[in-house]
Amino acid sequence: MTKTEAERAFLELAARLRREGLLGEAAGGAQAALRGDGGKVYLAALDGAGVTAQECGTGDAGAPFLHAFAVKPEARALLLLGGAYAPRIADTMRALRAELDDMAQIVGLTARVAGSLAPDEIARCLRGRNSCFVKGYGMLVTGRSATEAATGAVLLEKAAMTHILAQKIGGAKRVPLPSAALMHFIYQKKYSRIDLGAEAAQGEAAEARAAETPAQTARERGIRESIVACGKRLQDEGLLQGTWGNIAVRLDEAHMLCTPSGLDYRRLTPDDIVKVALSTLAYGGRRKPTSEKRLHRDIFAARADVGAVIHTHARRCGVFAAARKSVCCIEGELRALVGGEMRCAGHALPSTKRLSRVAIRALGDRNGCLLMNHGALCCGADLERAYLACRAAEAAAGRQLGL
């Protein structure tokens, strides 16, 4: 990476963090570092309109980043930033346990709190983890790409928010340790590499992609385009982060269309959407479907009235999922979209038969439920109704939290 390429990457990082509410008056500024060519490290402040990359050395403000890169040799990007909730965790706790599985996957079983940016503190708190809180600052986040670092920051801030807001409803419960350890291992070794590979290959020719795409009817093409647009809307509204969450639409009696596994929604194209056989879960094309394809298929089988299913990692619903409490007393227009209550399903590992069973039981005849320490599940007769149910669920959760 050259200095020019680094400045372009810094601008993209700043735009992403600003969209996520992690840059600005309320959240404060941020510093970022990227590994460059020839062992160079570039540093930039992201709080202004423009960004100037500077090569950092051991005797300046870049020293903590150099120490962090030494501790995490696989990291290509680092972020030091505040947020609305992370500084409160950094200033009051010694560590935050994973209370949602997305934090367990990308950060680890716990996020420690560093008392300072001293080298020994950075080493202590990043050893075996991708991120930590830093007293007096907020968060120090590492990533194998700039995108992964930004997603890590979003999820660590979300984890801090979840812990603080869940105190209003009895407190959050940690992700069961064996599940958290397994999910972190899978993410680091397998799942995240799909998105890292896609990021590295962004420049592949469009005509090559088209050549690999099977023939599609106009209706199928329209659904694919709708899924891509819906994913971006959900991400813009904070209901999805990074590659987490998934969407499926019933195509016909034999097939459904699903989002692919491990790809950021902002990079999705209609040709990335995967056609899956409902009877066998077999699929074709160049992408693998979401790992939750079984869950979507089983809901379609159990509910003939459902034409679309969306699994989100929505922030406010996530508070209830972490506290293992229902979102209740849903009234008015929201009740018509979701139902009178969103029950919390029991614990199950992702992609398992048990997850399907507990989710279907919690759904009942309603259009939404929570997945314990995981997220929310909403459905509807079509994709638009499922999307509206997601928004209604998040609004209902916010009301119950007094937000």
Side-chain angles (χ1 to χ4, degrees), residues 115-395:
S116 70
L117 289 174
D120 57 340
E121 275 293 274
I122 293 173
R124 178 182 70 85
C125 292
L126 288 184
R127 193 173 294 115
R129 293 159 178 80
N130 296 329
S131 309
C132 66
F133 294 100
V134 183
K135 192 169 185 176
Y137 292 89
M139 304 175 274
L140 179 63
V141 183
T142 78
R144 292 165 292 178
S145 70
T147 297
E148 187 176 64
T151 300
V154 170
L155 293 178
L156 198 55
E157 168 71 0
K158 177 187 168 188
M161 182 206 76
T162 297
H163 182 82
I164 291 168
L165 293 183
Q167 293 170 9
K168 297 183 177 184
I169 53 173
K173 314 295 190 296
R174 76 180 304 169
V175 179
L177 281 173
S179 299
L182 178 61
M183 287 186 287
H184 184 63
F185 175 81
I186 292 172
Y187 175 82
Q188 294 298 318
K189 298 298 181 184
K190 179 181 176 184
Y191 184 70
S192 66
R193 296 189 184 278
I194 300 170
D195 195 55
L196 290 169
E199 187 169 339
Q202 262 185 301
E204 68 177 300
E207 54 268 25
R209 292 198 300 267
E212 297 174 354
T213 304
Q216 302 165 7
T217 65
R219 179 174 177 275
E220 179 180 338
R221 188 70 184 178
I223 293 174
R224 288 171 175 268
E225 291 170 353
S226 297
I227 291 173
V228 170
C230 182
K232 290 174 181 174
R233 274 199 295 177
L234 290 167
Q235 198 168 59
D236 286 342
E237 294 172 19
L239 301 178
L240 297 175
Q241 299 90 39
T243 66
W244 281 267
N246 33 75
I247 302 170
V249 176
R250 195 194 298 264
L251 177 61
D252 51 41
E253 291 183 0
H255 299 92
M256 63 180 176
L257 294 174
C258 299
T259 46
S261 176
L263 286 183
D264 192 291
Y265 285 87
R266 296 193 189 281
R267 287 203 295 276
L268 280 188
T269 70
D271 293 332
D272 290 320
I273 304 305
V274 188
K275 187 176 181 178
V276 180
L278 290 168
S279 59
T280 64
L281 297 180
Y283 57 92
R286 65 195 184 93
R287 297 294 188 201
K288 292 178 65 175
T290 168
S291 58
E292 299 293 6
K293 57 187 179 294
R294 179 193 299 275
L295 173 63
H296 292 287
R297 188 273 306 274
D298 291 348
I299 291 172
F300 287 141
R303 293 277 300 272
D305 60 314
V306 169
V309 181
I310 302 175
H311 164 43
T312 73
H313 285 226
R315 289 176 170 85
R316 293 168 182 175
C317 284
V319 174
F320 286 85
R324 304 176 186 175
K325 297 288 181 68
S326 298
V327 178
C328 55
C329 305
I330 304 175
E331 300 295 341
E333 184 182 349
L334 303 183
R335 186 187 186 98
L337 288 165
V338 184
E341 179 185 22
M342 283 184 70
R343 295 178 182 171
C344 188
H347 174 65
L349 282 169
S351 313
T352 60
K353 293 180 181 178
R354 174 172 169 77
L355 180 61
S356 292
R357 289 198 301 271
V358 298
I360 290 168
R361 189 181 306 131
L363 266 179
D365 60 357
R366 294 170 294 276
N367 288 334
C369 72
L370 302 171
L371 304 176
M372 192 172 90
N373 295 108
H374 191 137
L377 191 70
C378 292
C379 56
D382 55 34
L383 186 56
E384 182 63 18
R385 287 181 178 86
Y387 163 73
L388 291 174
C390 291
R391 293 192 64 187
E394 189 72 345

